[in-house]
Amino acid sequence: MLTQYHYEELLDEELQQGDVIIWKDDNDIIQHAAYYIGEGLYFNKHGQTMFNPWKILSEADLYKEWEHLRRMNYRQVLEK
């Protein structure tokens, strides 16, 4: 989906509002993703069902939850 919506992997750690952060396991399978909304806050869904809540989490809380996985940052690029 990231490719379909023209997101590309960032090589630096500097995030901007609208970036997507994903966490992959050792098999290169995406385990989680969150949307950066700015000021160290992320729009995040806990779980796969409609019953799991959407939450706004701090960077510290989100990164601690997924620190055992490899983090990758993506940004939407509409024009080159």
Side-chain angles (χ1 to χ4, degrees):
M1 290 302 280
L2 289 171
T3 302
Q4 180 179 345
Y5 287 98
H6 309 285
Y7 279 81
E8 295 180 356
E9 185 178 355
L10 296 174
L11 299 178
D12 62 23
E13 299 290 319
E14 187 80 24
L15 295 177
Q16 295 178 5
Q17 187 175 13
D19 288 348
V20 173
I21 292 65
I22 65 168
W23 287 267
K24 289 185 175 185
D25 64 17
D26 291 336
N27 295 316
D28 217 29
I29 297 172
I30 297 173
Q31 298 297 313
H32 191 69
Y35 186 77
Y36 184 64
I37 58 175
E39 298 185 28
L41 299 173
Y42 294 80
F43 189 63
N44 182 69
K45 180 143 181 358
H46 282 295
Q48 298 293 320
T49 72
M50 66 181 197
F51 303 107
N52 296 107
W54 290 94
K55 293 183 177 181
I56 295 177
L57 293 178
S58 71
E59 181 174 280
D61 289 341
L62 185 63
Y63 285 22
K64 183 178 180 183
E65 179 78 23
W66 299 101
E67 66 187 354
H68 63 286
L69 300 173
R70 181 170 38 102
R71 190 183 91 226
M72 300 172 73
N73 304 330
Y74 286 83
R75 181 169 297 143
Q76 191 173 38
V77 179
L78 297 177
E79 293 185 27
K80 289 189 177 193

